[in-house]
Amino acid sequence: MESQSLFSGFCSNSITPLYRNPQNPLSSSPPSLSYPCFNQSKYQVSFENQYFLSSQRLRSVRRLLCKNSVEKVSNLVSEKEGSKSWVKRKRLAVFVSGGGSNFRSINQACIEGSVNGDVVVLVTNKHACGGSQYARDKGIPVILFPKTKDEPGGLSPDDLVKVLREFEVDFILLAGYLKLIPAELIRAYSRSIFNIHPSLLPSFGGKGYYGMKVHKAVIASGARYSGATIHFVDEHYDTGRILAQKIVPVLANDTAEELAARVLREEHKLYVEVTAALCEDRIVWREDGVPLIQSKENPEEYY
């Protein structure tokens, strides 16, 4: 089976300052930064020990990052376990709209070293959601997107792309983010945006299928199995190429809440496993356009 590597690297003209995170000494993300010059901006939503970026402050970000850097590097790497090769430590952006339990699992895996990457920025459409609070507690920058009546400080799609480039993001992980991803971002991060959905796609997916609505629909249909799906993101809801799935049985007397809890436990494990594969360059494409994951233990096997 001939296959080609998904990854060719994400280039940026900016130089990344190296920060030492006390929770993870290999991390390239700042443990805690504040930008006082943002506090008075009409686009700014500020919290203690946290910042939100607006479209009028993009140029200031580069200056502040360079000014506060102690050491500048352009290619932070870590040694790949069990081999002599070296793999660049990946920089991850996570998008959330709620509590962010998958985000927390991924970030913890990064801190513990099972994922060769770091969550360097969180994007949310709800500045007060649980995922945002967790990010603030961990010193992870938070960006509001999109701009809405309820969140007037949100960025435009073009400005969001610019900010993510400032952070030199390699991959974008959607973890319960309920807004449609704009075409500008999909073009800028082709084959680099992923989503997790709480069913076995293509069943029970698409616009309107999210959260508890999915599990209620599964039980009402009489389906004997549900699960979790990780897929590439395109310009529609839940229609991108499927990368990985985990099956969860639907029991005869299940409630939607009971099924949701079982699926969520599998989501946490599956998203960490797939993120680890992403950060180790183990995603390949079959000749017919189907993405596969290369086994870490046996590089000759794919699943």
Side-chain angles (χ1 to χ4, degrees), residues 105-161:
S105 295
I106 291 168
N107 187 62
Q108 188 61 35
C110 292
I111 292 171
E112 293 174 354
S114 57
V115 170
N116 184 43
D118 300 291
V119 178
V120 297
V121 64
L122 181 84
V123 177
T124 183
N125 61 309
K126 298 180 179 180
H127 75 266
C129 70
S132 296
Q133 183 59 55
Y134 174 85
R136 290 192 290 273
D137 292 343
K138 297 296 183 180
I140 298 172
V142 174
I143 296 172
L144 286 174
F145 176 81
K147 182 177 181 179
T148 64
K149 182 180 179 180
D150 293 332
E151 298 288 4
L155 299 182
S156 69
D158 287 336
D159 284 342
L160 176 62
V161 171

Side-chain angles (χ1 to χ4, degrees), residues 43-283:
Y43 298 99
Q44 192 65 25
V45 181
S46 59
F47 292 85
E48 183 179 0
N49 295 327
Q50 187 56 52
Y51 60 83
F52 287 81
L53 303 181
S54 69
S55 59
Q56 294 190 356
R57 298 303 181 211
L58 295 179
R59 192 167 297 175
S60 299
V61 173
R62 185 186 296 275
R63 290 201 300 267
L64 287 165
L65 285 175
C66 293
K67 181 178 178 181
N68 288 289
S69 64
V70 176
E71 178 184 358
K72 296 176 182 178
V73 297
S74 59
N75 192 28
L76 182 65
V77 298
S78 62
E79 188 172 8
K80 189 173 182 180
E81 183 180 356
S83 73
K84 296 181 180 179
S85 62
W86 292 76
V87 178
K88 175 182 176 292
R89 194 168 180 85
K90 302 302 190 294
R91 298 171 64 82
L92 310 174
V94 181
F95 287 42
V96 304
S97 293
S101 64
N102 275 303
F103 160 46
R104 299 170 195 233
S105 295
I106 291 168
N107 187 62
Q108 188 61 35
C110 292
I111 292 171
E112 293 174 354
S114 57
V115 170
N116 184 43
D118 300 291
V119 178
V120 297
V121 64
L122 181 84
V123 177
T124 183
N125 61 309
K126 298 180 179 180
H127 75 266
C129 70
S132 296
Q133 183 59 55
Y134 174 85
R136 290 192 290 273
D137 292 343
K138 297 296 183 180
I140 298 172
V142 174
I143 296 172
L144 286 174
F145 176 81
K147 182 177 181 179
T148 64
K149 182 180 179 180
D150 293 332
E151 298 288 4
L155 299 182
S156 69
D158 287 336
D159 284 342
L160 176 62
V161 171
K162 291 177 184 177
V163 172
L164 294 179
R165 290 189 188 279
E166 290 290 343
F167 281 99
E168 295 189 340
V169 168
D170 295 297
F171 300 113
I172 295 171
L173 309 176
L174 310 187
Y177 185 73
L178 302 182
K179 294 292 185 179
L180 191 65
I181 300 301
E184 294 89 338
L185 190 60
I186 292 170
R187 287 194 297 267
Y189 284 88
S190 176
R191 289 185 171 181
S192 299
I193 308 176
F194 304 85
N195 181 49
I196 190 162
H197 184 77
S199 76
L200 296 176
L201 292 175
S203 298
F204 308 103
K207 188 174 182 179
Y209 279 100
Y210 61 89
M212 206 59 65
K213 293 182 179 181
V214 174
H215 306 296
K216 289 179 179 179
V218 169
I219 291 174
S221 75
R224 271 35 175 191
Y225 295 95
S226 188
T229 301
I230 294 177
H231 63 93
F232 287 83
V233 173
D234 57 20
E235 296 180 18
H236 307 283
Y237 287 107
D238 304 326
T239 59
R241 284 287 193 175
I242 292 171
L243 179 59
Q245 292 184 311
K246 184 78 72 171
I247 295 174
V248 174
V250 181
L251 305 183
N253 297 316
D254 262 346
T255 64
E257 291 75 16
E258 290 168 339
L259 178 59
R262 279 205 309 284
V263 171
L264 186 60
R265 286 195 293 270
E266 296 304 320
E267 284 185 44
H268 293 164
K269 293 185 284 187
L270 183 64
Y271 221 166
V272 168
E273 291 172 6
V274 171
T275 303
L278 287 172
C279 292
E280 293 170 3
D281 297 352
R282 290 191 286 111
I283 309 301

